[in-house]
Amino acid sequence: MADHTPGTPQGATGSAPADGEPLAGITVEHVREAHKLLSGVSRATAMEGSRYLSGLVGAPVHLKCENLQRTGSFKIRGAYVRIARLSVQERAAGVVAASAGNHAQGVALAASLLGVRSTVFMPVGAPLPKVAATREYGAEVRLHGHVVDETLAAAEEYARQTGAVFIHPFDHRDIIAGQGTVGLEILEQCPEVRTVVVGVGGGGLAAGIALAVKSLRPDVKVIGVQAAAAACYPPSLAAGHPVAVEPLTTMADGIKVGRPGDVPFGIVNALVDEVRTVSEDELSSALLLCLERAKLVVEPAGASPVAALLAAPRSFEGPVVAVLSGGNVDPLLMQRILRHGMAAAGRYLSLRLRLTDRPGALANLLGVLSAVDANVLDVGHVRTDPRLGLTEVEVELHLETKGPAHCTEVRDALREAGYDVVAD
C-alpha cells in the first residue's frame, strides 16, 4: 500500500461531536431530516458480506453497495436534498452543475424528479455512456473544456449569466447531509460495525458518513481512502486547512480532486480517524476482486476502500464496512483496468523478445510457452525497425498466467531456451 496519513496527528480527533453541537453548521438531525426527504427517492442499498475479504482481515467485512444506487452512485442523495431545499424562486431559475460523470447524473435525475430545469457541463471527451445517461435523466448537457477546472468555470459563468443555482458536488451542507444518510443505513444494517472505510475526493461522502456515524456511535472508526496520485487530504490535514495539490493521472477519476471542500474539510479534520492512500495497482486489483469475487461492477473510485483492505488487511478492526461508492465505469476503461489488475495480480504478462526470422521460429517459441502452461492471448511481429538486425524479428506476446510465481517460471524458461527478452 502507498503511504498512509493518520488523520489524528494532522489535527483530526476522530471523536464524536458534542451532543447537538453542529460541525460546519450540520448536525445528525440534519442527516435524519435528509433521510426522511429521500424516502422513496434513493434506495437503501444492499449490504453484502465478503467471505474472501473477511478471511484476509480476520473479521467480518461487509460491502455497502452504493454502486447499485439510482444513477449508479451515492450522488443522487446529496443532489436531491440540495435541490429539494431550494426556494420556489431558485427552482424557477433552474440549476447548473459541472461533472465528468456521477454528480452529473445525480443532479440530472434529482432535478427531473423535482420538476426543475437542469444544465450540466461536462468535459469534452467525457465517456459517452455517462454523457448519454445524463441526457436521459433529463439534463441539457453542454460539453466544454478538456479538464474539469475548465468545465467548472464554464458552469459558474453560466450561473452568473442566467441566475441558475450552481449545485456543488461536495462543498455544501445540504450535499453533506444527503450523503450522510449512507452512514445512517450502515448503522442500521450492521449495528456491530467497528470500522467504516470510505473513498475520499472532495470529502462530501466521508464527511457525511463520519458525522452520522460518530454522532451515534463514537466508538466506530471512520477511515478515508484517496488515490495516491490525487491525495489532497494528507497535506491539508497536516496544514490544518485545505491545501491545493496538482492531481496526477489516476484511474479513480471519481475521487480526483485537487483541493478539499471547505465545508467537508472541517468535518473530516474533526471526525475521520485516518486517511490512507492507495496506488494504481492496488485500485485495479480491488476492482478485479469486486468483479470476480463479489460479482459487482465497481468503478475505481468506488473500489478504493477495498484497495485499502487488500493492501493492509490486518490493520482494520472488524467488523468492517467498505463503502462501494459507485459503479459507473466506461466499458473501454474497464477493459484496460482489468488487464492492469490481472497484470498486478500476476495473471497477465506482456513480453517483447527477439528471435531469428526464419521458418519455424515462432512455432518453437510457442512450444516453450506451451511447456510451461502459459496461455497465449495475442502475438505481434515487428520486422522493420532500425534497432533490429537484418535477420531479427521482434515479437510481442500477451500471455495469461497463474500468478507471480508462474510469471517468473515463464521468463526463466524463455531465457533458458536462449531467447532475448527485451522488455516486460
Side-chain angles (χ1 to χ4, degrees), residues 359-382:
L362 181 59
N364 291 337
L365 171 62
L366 296 179
V368 173
L369 296 172
S370 176
V372 291
D373 205 22
N375 186 30
V376 179
L377 301 175
D378 190 30
V379 179
H381 294 78
V382 176

mmCIF file with all atom_site columns, all heavy atoms in Angstrom, residues 359-382:
data_model
loop_
_atom_site.group_PDB
_atom_site.id
_atom_site.type_symbol
_atom_site.label_atom_id
_atom_site.label_alt_id
_atom_site.label_comp_id
_atom_site.label_asym_id
_atom_site.label_entity_id
_atom_site.label_seq_id
_atom_site.pdbx_PDB_ins_code
_atom_site.Cartn_x
_atom_site.Cartn_y
_atom_site.Cartn_z
_atom_site.occupancy
_atom_site.B_iso_or_equiv
_atom_site.pdbx_formal_charge
_atom_site.auth_seq_id
_atom_site.auth_comp_id
_atom_site.auth_asym_id
_atom_site.auth_atom_id
_atom_site.pdbx_PDB_model_num
ATOM 1   N N   . PRO A 1 359 ? 11.729 -19.762 -40.842 1.00 0.00 ? 359 PRO A N   1
ATOM 2   C CA  . PRO A 1 359 ? 10.568 -20.651 -40.696 1.00 0.00 ? 359 PRO A CA  1
ATOM 3   C C   . PRO A 1 359 ? 10.691 -21.517 -39.443 1.00 0.00 ? 359 PRO A C   1
ATOM 4   O O   . PRO A 1 359 ? 11.755 -22.047 -39.141 1.00 0.00 ? 359 PRO A O   1
ATOM 5   C CB  . PRO A 1 359 ? 10.624 -21.510 -41.969 1.00 0.00 ? 359 PRO A CB  1
ATOM 6   C CG  . PRO A 1 359 ? 11.363 -20.666 -42.963 1.00 0.00 ? 359 PRO A CG  1
ATOM 7   C CD  . PRO A 1 359 ? 12.380 -19.907 -42.165 1.00 0.00 ? 359 PRO A CD  1
ATOM 8   N N   . GLY A 1 360 ? 9.609  -21.623 -38.717 1.00 0.00 ? 360 GLY A N   1
ATOM 9   C CA  . GLY A 1 360 ? 9.568  -22.470 -37.535 1.00 0.00 ? 360 GLY A CA  1
ATOM 10  C C   . GLY A 1 360 ? 9.979  -21.787 -36.253 1.00 0.00 ? 360 GLY A C   1
ATOM 11  O O   . GLY A 1 360 ? 9.811  -22.349 -35.159 1.00 0.00 ? 360 GLY A O   1
ATOM 12  N N   . ALA A 1 361 ? 10.518 -20.539 -36.351 1.00 0.00 ? 361 ALA A N   1
ATOM 13  C CA  . ALA A 1 361 ? 10.999 -19.852 -35.143 1.00 0.00 ? 361 ALA A CA  1
ATOM 14  C C   . ALA A 1 361 ? 9.855  -19.555 -34.179 1.00 0.00 ? 361 ALA A C   1
ATOM 15  O O   . ALA A 1 361 ? 9.981  -19.742 -32.959 1.00 0.00 ? 361 ALA A O   1
ATOM 16  C CB  . ALA A 1 361 ? 11.730 -18.564 -35.525 1.00 0.00 ? 361 ALA A CB  1
ATOM 17  N N   . LEU A 1 362 ? 8.723  -19.075 -34.714 1.00 0.00 ? 362 LEU A N   1
ATOM 18  C CA  . LEU A 1 362 ? 7.583  -18.767 -33.850 1.00 0.00 ? 362 LEU A CA  1
ATOM 19  C C   . LEU A 1 362 ? 6.993  -20.040 -33.245 1.00 0.00 ? 362 LEU A C   1
ATOM 20  O O   . LEU A 1 362 ? 6.615  -20.066 -32.070 1.00 0.00 ? 362 LEU A O   1
ATOM 21  C CB  . LEU A 1 362 ? 6.518  -18.005 -34.633 1.00 0.00 ? 362 LEU A CB  1
ATOM 22  C CG  . LEU A 1 362 ? 5.280  -17.592 -33.838 1.00 0.00 ? 362 LEU A CG  1
ATOM 23  C CD1 . LEU A 1 362 ? 5.676  -16.692 -32.664 1.00 0.00 ? 362 LEU A CD1 1
ATOM 24  C CD2 . LEU A 1 362 ? 4.274  -16.873 -34.740 1.00 0.00 ? 362 LEU A CD2 1
ATOM 25  N N   . ALA A 1 363 ? 6.947  -21.104 -34.037 1.00 0.00 ? 363 ALA A N   1
ATOM 26  C CA  . ALA A 1 363 ? 6.421  -22.369 -33.521 1.00 0.00 ? 363 ALA A CA  1
ATOM 27  C C   . ALA A 1 363 ? 7.263  -22.875 -32.356 1.00 0.00 ? 363 ALA A C   1
ATOM 28  O O   . ALA A 1 363 ? 6.735  -23.377 -31.358 1.00 0.00 ? 363 ALA A O   1
ATOM 29  C CB  . ALA A 1 363 ? 6.383  -23.411 -34.645 1.00 0.00 ? 363 ALA A CB  1
ATOM 30  N N   . ASN A 1 364 ? 8.604  -22.736 -32.482 1.00 0.00 ? 364 ASN A N   1
ATOM 31  C CA  . ASN A 1 364 ? 9.479  -23.169 -31.386 1.00 0.00 ? 364 ASN A CA  1
ATOM 32  C C   . ASN A 1 364 ? 9.212  -22.343 -30.126 1.00 0.00 ? 364 ASN A C   1
ATOM 33  O O   . ASN A 1 364 ? 9.179  -22.874 -29.007 1.00 0.00 ? 364 ASN A O   1
ATOM 34  C CB  . ASN A 1 364 ? 10.945 -23.031 -31.803 1.00 0.00 ? 364 ASN A CB  1
ATOM 35  C CG  . ASN A 1 364 ? 11.332 -24.038 -32.872 1.00 0.00 ? 364 ASN A CG  1
ATOM 36  O OD1 . ASN A 1 364 ? 10.691 -25.086 -33.007 1.00 0.00 ? 364 ASN A OD1 1
ATOM 37  N ND2 . ASN A 1 364 ? 12.376 -23.717 -33.639 1.00 0.00 ? 364 ASN A ND2 1
ATOM 38  N N   . LEU A 1 365 ? 9.035  -21.029 -30.327 1.00 0.00 ? 365 LEU A N   1
ATOM 39  C CA  . LEU A 1 365 ? 8.751  -20.144 -29.189 1.00 0.00 ? 365 LEU A CA  1
ATOM 40  C C   . LEU A 1 365 ? 7.447  -20.548 -28.502 1.00 0.00 ? 365 LEU A C   1
ATOM 41  O O   . LEU A 1 365 ? 7.389  -20.659 -27.269 1.00 0.00 ? 365 LEU A O   1
ATOM 42  C CB  . LEU A 1 365 ? 8.668  -18.695 -29.664 1.00 0.00 ? 365 LEU A CB  1
ATOM 43  C CG  . LEU A 1 365 ? 8.162  -17.662 -28.651 1.00 0.00 ? 365 LEU A CG  1
ATOM 44  C CD1 . LEU A 1 365 ? 9.096  -17.579 -27.448 1.00 0.00 ? 365 LEU A CD1 1
ATOM 45  C CD2 . LEU A 1 365 ? 8.018  -16.295 -29.306 1.00 0.00 ? 365 LEU A CD2 1
ATOM 46  N N   . LEU A 1 366 ? 6.427  -20.799 -29.299 1.00 0.00 ? 366 LEU A N   1
ATOM 47  C CA  . LEU A 1 366 ? 5.144  -21.182 -28.720 1.00 0.00 ? 366 LEU A CA  1
ATOM 48  C C   . LEU A 1 366 ? 5.234  -22.532 -28.015 1.00 0.00 ? 366 LEU A C   1
ATOM 49  O O   . LEU A 1 366 ? 4.523  -22.788 -27.041 1.00 0.00 ? 366 LEU A O   1
ATOM 50  C CB  . LEU A 1 366 ? 4.073  -21.216 -29.806 1.00 0.00 ? 366 LEU A CB  1
ATOM 51  C CG  . LEU A 1 366 ? 3.760  -19.870 -30.478 1.00 0.00 ? 366 LEU A CG  1
ATOM 52  C CD1 . LEU A 1 366 ? 2.694  -20.039 -31.564 1.00 0.00 ? 366 LEU A CD1 1
ATOM 53  C CD2 . LEU A 1 366 ? 3.316  -18.838 -29.452 1.00 0.00 ? 366 LEU A CD2 1
ATOM 54  N N   . GLY A 1 367 ? 6.128  -23.375 -28.491 1.00 0.00 ? 367 GLY A N   1
ATOM 55  C CA  . GLY A 1 367 ? 6.341  -24.663 -27.826 1.00 0.00 ? 367 GLY A CA  1
ATOM 56  C C   . GLY A 1 367 ? 6.906  -24.492 -26.429 1.00 0.00 ? 367 GLY A C   1
ATOM 57  O O   . GLY A 1 367 ? 6.505  -25.205 -25.496 1.00 0.00 ? 367 GLY A O   1
ATOM 58  N N   . VAL A 1 368 ? 7.836  -23.555 -26.276 1.00 0.00 ? 368 VAL A N   1
ATOM 59  C CA  . VAL A 1 368 ? 8.400  -23.272 -24.947 1.00 0.00 ? 368 VAL A CA  1
ATOM 60  C C   . VAL A 1 368 ? 7.301  -22.781 -23.999 1.00 0.00 ? 368 VAL A C   1
ATOM 61  O O   . VAL A 1 368 ? 7.216  -23.205 -22.845 1.00 0.00 ? 368 VAL A O   1
ATOM 62  C CB  . VAL A 1 368 ? 9.525  -22.224 -25.060 1.00 0.00 ? 368 VAL A CB  1
ATOM 63  C CG1 . VAL A 1 368 ? 9.989  -21.797 -23.662 1.00 0.00 ? 368 VAL A CG1 1
ATOM 64  C CG2 . VAL A 1 368 ? 10.694 -22.772 -25.863 1.00 0.00 ? 368 VAL A CG2 1
ATOM 65  N N   . LEU A 1 369 ? 6.443  -21.892 -24.525 1.00 0.00 ? 369 LEU A N   1
ATOM 66  C CA  . LEU A 1 369 ? 5.359  -21.360 -23.694 1.00 0.00 ? 369 LEU A CA  1
ATOM 67  C C   . LEU A 1 369 ? 4.348  -22.439 -23.338 1.00 0.00 ? 369 LEU A C   1
ATOM 68  O O   . LEU A 1 369 ? 3.829  -22.476 -22.220 1.00 0.00 ? 369 LEU A O   1
ATOM 69  C CB  . LEU A 1 369 ? 4.667  -20.205 -24.425 1.00 0.00 ? 369 LEU A CB  1
ATOM 70  C CG  . LEU A 1 369 ? 5.543  -18.972 -24.676 1.00 0.00 ? 369 LEU A CG  1
ATOM 71  C CD1 . LEU A 1 369 ? 4.823  -17.983 -25.575 1.00 0.00 ? 369 LEU A CD1 1
ATOM 72  C CD2 . LEU A 1 369 ? 5.928  -18.317 -23.350 1.00 0.00 ? 369 LEU A CD2 1
ATOM 73  N N   . SER A 1 370 ? 4.077  -23.341 -24.279 1.00 0.00 ? 370 SER A N   1
ATOM 74  C CA  . SER A 1 370 ? 3.144  -24.424 -24.006 1.00 0.00 ? 370 SER A CA  1
ATOM 75  C C   . SER A 1 370 ? 3.680  -25.355 -22.928 1.00 0.00 ? 370 SER A C   1
ATOM 76  O O   . SER A 1 370 ? 2.927  -25.840 -22.076 1.00 0.00 ? 370 SER A O   1
ATOM 77  C CB  . SER A 1 370 ? 2.878  -25.212 -25.300 1.00 0.00 ? 370 SER A CB  1
ATOM 78  O OG  . SER A 1 370 ? 2.045  -26.322 -25.052 1.00 0.00 ? 370 SER A OG  1
ATOM 79  N N   . ALA A 1 371 ? 4.986  -25.562 -22.932 1.00 0.00 ? 371 ALA A N   1
ATOM 80  C CA  . ALA A 1 371 ? 5.593  -26.477 -21.961 1.00 0.00 ? 371 ALA A CA  1
ATOM 81  C C   . ALA A 1 371 ? 5.458  -25.954 -20.534 1.00 0.00 ? 371 ALA A C   1
ATOM 82  O O   . ALA A 1 371 ? 5.436  -26.741 -19.583 1.00 0.00 ? 371 ALA A O   1
ATOM 83  C CB  . ALA A 1 371 ? 7.067  -26.689 -22.304 1.00 0.00 ? 371 ALA A CB  1
ATOM 84  N N   . VAL A 1 372 ? 5.375  -24.619 -20.367 1.00 0.00 ? 372 VAL A N   1
ATOM 85  C CA  . VAL A 1 372 ? 5.212  -24.059 -19.013 1.00 0.00 ? 372 VAL A CA  1
ATOM 86  C C   . VAL A 1 372 ? 3.763  -23.639 -18.771 1.00 0.00 ? 372 VAL A C   1
ATOM 87  O O   . VAL A 1 372 ? 3.460  -22.931 -17.802 1.00 0.00 ? 372 VAL A O   1
ATOM 88  C CB  . VAL A 1 372 ? 6.165  -22.858 -18.777 1.00 0.00 ? 372 VAL A CB  1
ATOM 89  C CG1 . VAL A 1 372 ? 7.604  -23.332 -18.711 1.00 0.00 ? 372 VAL A CG1 1
ATOM 90  C CG2 . VAL A 1 372 ? 5.991  -21.785 -19.839 1.00 0.00 ? 372 VAL A CG2 1
ATOM 91  N N   . ASP A 1 373 ? 2.856  -24.069 -19.661 1.00 0.00 ? 373 ASP A N   1
ATOM 92  C CA  . ASP A 1 373 ? 1.413  -23.885 -19.472 1.00 0.00 ? 373 ASP A CA  1
ATOM 93  C C   . ASP A 1 373 ? 0.996  -22.413 -19.432 1.00 0.00 ? 373 ASP A C   1
ATOM 94  O O   . ASP A 1 373 ? 0.113  -22.022 -18.671 1.00 0.00 ? 373 ASP A O   1
ATOM 95  C CB  . ASP A 1 373 ? 0.961  -24.576 -18.176 1.00 0.00 ? 373 ASP A CB  1
ATOM 96  C CG  . ASP A 1 373 ? -0.519 -24.960 -18.215 1.00 0.00 ? 373 ASP A CG  1
ATOM 97  O OD1 . ASP A 1 373 ? -1.060 -25.080 -19.339 1.00 0.00 ? 373 ASP A OD1 1
ATOM 98  O OD2 . ASP A 1 373 ? -1.113 -25.140 -17.144 1.00 0.00 ? 373 ASP A OD2 1
ATOM 99  N N   . ALA A 1 374 ? 1.639  -21.585 -20.292 1.00 0.00 ? 374 ALA A N   1
ATOM 100 C CA  . ALA A 1 374 ? 1.238  -20.183 -20.431 1.00 0.00 ? 374 ALA A CA  1
ATOM 101 C C   . ALA A 1 374 ? 0.282  -20.072 -21.614 1.00 0.00 ? 374 ALA A C   1
ATOM 102 O O   . ALA A 1 374 ? 0.584  -20.563 -22.707 1.00 0.00 ? 374 ALA A O   1
ATOM 103 C CB  . ALA A 1 374 ? 2.452  -19.302 -20.650 1.00 0.00 ? 374 ALA A CB  1
ATOM 104 N N   . ASN A 1 375 ? -0.848 -19.434 -21.401 1.00 0.00 ? 375 ASN A N   1
ATOM 105 C CA  . ASN A 1 375 ? -1.862 -19.301 -22.449 1.00 0.00 ? 375 ASN A CA  1
ATOM 106 C C   . ASN A 1 375 ? -1.588 -18.030 -23.263 1.00 0.00 ? 375 ASN A C   1
ATOM 107 O O   . ASN A 1 375 ? -1.579 -16.922 -22.720 1.00 0.00 ? 375 ASN A O   1
ATOM 108 C CB  . ASN A 1 375 ? -3.261 -19.232 -21.828 1.00 0.00 ? 375 ASN A CB  1
ATOM 109 C CG  . ASN A 1 375 ? -4.351 -19.228 -22.871 1.00 0.00 ? 375 ASN A CG  1
ATOM 110 O OD1 . ASN A 1 375 ? -4.191 -19.799 -23.945 1.00 0.00 ? 375 ASN A OD1 1
ATOM 111 N ND2 . ASN A 1 375 ? -5.460 -18.581 -22.574 1.00 0.00 ? 375 ASN A ND2 1
ATOM 112 N N   . VAL A 1 376 ? -1.370 -18.190 -24.578 1.00 0.00 ? 376 VAL A N   1
ATOM 113 C CA  . VAL A 1 376 ? -1.059 -17.061 -25.455 1.00 0.00 ? 376 VAL A CA  1
ATOM 114 C C   . VAL A 1 376 ? -2.360 -16.395 -25.881 1.00 0.00 ? 376 VAL A C   1
ATOM 115 O O   . VAL A 1 376 ? -3.212 -17.010 -26.529 1.00 0.00 ? 376 VAL A O   1
ATOM 116 C CB  . VAL A 1 376 ? -0.260 -17.519 -26.692 1.00 0.00 ? 376 VAL A CB  1
ATOM 117 C CG1 . VAL A 1 376 ? 0.032  -16.317 -27.598 1.00 0.00 ? 376 VAL A CG1 1
ATOM 118 C CG2 . VAL A 1 376 ? 1.031  -18.197 -26.258 1.00 0.00 ? 376 VAL A CG2 1
ATOM 119 N N   . LEU A 1 377 ? -2.509 -15.111 -25.518 1.00 0.00 ? 377 LEU A N   1
ATOM 120 C CA  . LEU A 1 377 ? -3.705 -14.349 -25.886 1.00 0.00 ? 377 LEU A CA  1
ATOM 121 C C   . LEU A 1 377 ? -3.522 -13.593 -27.190 1.00 0.00 ? 377 LEU A C   1
ATOM 122 O O   . LEU A 1 377 ? -4.467 -13.436 -27.961 1.00 0.00 ? 377 LEU A O   1
ATOM 123 C CB  . LEU A 1 377 ? -4.055 -13.355 -24.765 1.00 0.00 ? 377 LEU A CB  1
ATOM 124 C CG  . LEU A 1 377 ? -4.330 -13.943 -23.384 1.00 0.00 ? 377 LEU A CG  1
ATOM 125 C CD1 . LEU A 1 377 ? -4.543 -12.824 -22.376 1.00 0.00 ? 377 LEU A CD1 1
ATOM 126 C CD2 . LEU A 1 377 ? -5.549 -14.865 -23.426 1.00 0.00 ? 377 LEU A CD2 1
ATOM 127 N N   . ASP A 1 378 ? -2.301 -13.112 -27.436 1.00 0.00 ? 378 ASP A N   1
ATOM 128 C CA  . ASP A 1 378 ? -2.071 -12.293 -28.627 1.00 0.00 ? 378 ASP A CA  1
ATOM 129 C C   . ASP A 1 378 ? -0.584 -12.323 -28.963 1.00 0.00 ? 378 ASP A C   1
ATOM 130 O O   . ASP A 1 378 ? 0.264  -12.390 -28.074 1.00 0.00 ? 378 ASP A O   1
ATOM 131 C CB  . ASP A 1 378 ? -2.531 -10.853 -28.365 1.00 0.00 ? 378 ASP A CB  1
ATOM 132 C CG  . ASP A 1 378 ? -2.559 -10.002 -29.622 1.00 0.00 ? 378 ASP A CG  1
ATOM 133 O OD1 . ASP A 1 378 ? -2.788 -10.571 -30.702 1.00 0.00 ? 378 ASP A OD1 1
ATOM 134 O OD2 . ASP A 1 378 ? -2.336 -8.784  -29.519 1.00 0.00 ? 378 ASP A OD2 1
ATOM 135 N N   . VAL A 1 379 ? -0.282 -12.283 -30.281 1.00 0.00 ? 379 VAL A N   1
ATOM 136 C CA  . VAL A 1 379 ? 1.098  -12.251 -30.754 1.00 0.00 ? 379 VAL A CA  1
ATOM 137 C C   . VAL A 1 379 ? 1.219  -11.150 -31.794 1.00 0.00 ? 379 VAL A C   1
ATOM 138 O O   . VAL A 1 379 ? 0.399  -11.042 -32.704 1.00 0.00 ? 379 VAL A O   1
ATOM 139 C CB  . VAL A 1 379 ? 1.522  -13.597 -31.394 1.00 0.00 ? 379 VAL A CB  1
ATOM 140 C CG1 . VAL A 1 379 ? 2.967  -13.519 -31.890 1.00 0.00 ? 379 VAL A CG1 1
ATOM 141 C CG2 . VAL A 1 379 ? 1.353  -14.740 -30.412 1.00 0.00 ? 379 VAL A CG2 1
ATOM 142 N N   . GLY A 1 380 ? 2.251  -10.308 -31.656 1.00 0.00 ? 380 GLY A N   1
ATOM 143 C CA  . GLY A 1 380 ? 2.519  -9.261  -32.642 1.00 0.00 ? 380 GLY A CA  1
ATOM 144 C C   . GLY A 1 380 ? 3.948  -9.354  -33.135 1.00 0.00 ? 380 GLY A C   1
ATOM 145 O O   . GLY A 1 380 ? 4.849  -9.761  -32.394 1.00 0.00 ? 380 GLY A O   1
ATOM 146 N N   . HIS A 1 381 ? 4.178  -8.988  -34.440 1.00 0.00 ? 381 HIS A N   1
ATOM 147 C CA  . HIS A 1 381 ? 5.511  -9.045  -35.033 1.00 0.00 ? 381 HIS A CA  1
ATOM 148 C C   . HIS A 1 381 ? 5.954  -7.649  -35.467 1.00 0.00 ? 381 HIS A C   1
ATOM 149 O O   . HIS A 1 381 ? 5.149  -6.879  -35.983 1.00 0.00 ? 381 HIS A O   1
ATOM 150 C CB  . HIS A 1 381 ? 5.528  -9.942  -36.281 1.00 0.00 ? 381 HIS A CB  1
ATOM 151 C CG  . HIS A 1 381 ? 5.270  -11.385 -35.996 1.00 0.00 ? 381 HIS A CG  1
ATOM 152 N ND1 . HIS A 1 381 ? 4.018  -11.885 -35.752 1.00 0.00 ? 381 HIS A ND1 1
ATOM 153 C CD2 . HIS A 1 381 ? 6.132  -12.435 -35.909 1.00 0.00 ? 381 HIS A CD2 1
ATOM 154 C CE1 . HIS A 1 381 ? 4.099  -13.189 -35.545 1.00 0.00 ? 381 HIS A CE1 1
ATOM 155 N NE2 . HIS A 1 381 ? 5.360  -13.547 -35.626 1.00 0.00 ? 381 HIS A NE2 1
ATOM 156 N N   . VAL A 1 382 ? 7.230  -7.354  -35.279 1.00 0.00 ? 382 VAL A N   1
ATOM 157 C CA  . VAL A 1 382 ? 7.840  -6.144  -35.833 1.00 0.00 ? 382 VAL A CA  1
ATOM 158 C C   . VAL A 1 382 ? 9.087  -6.579  -36.592 1.00 0.00 ? 382 VAL A C   1
ATOM 159 O O   . VAL A 1 382 ? 10.018 -7.144  -36.002 1.00 0.00 ? 382 VAL A O   1
ATOM 160 C CB  . VAL A 1 382 ? 8.221  -5.132  -34.729 1.00 0.00 ? 382 VAL A CB  1
ATOM 161 C CG1 . VAL A 1 382 ? 8.945  -3.930  -35.345 1.00 0.00 ? 382 VAL A CG1 1
ATOM 162 C CG2 . VAL A 1 382 ? 6.984  -4.663  -33.974 1.00 0.00 ? 382 VAL A CG2 1
#
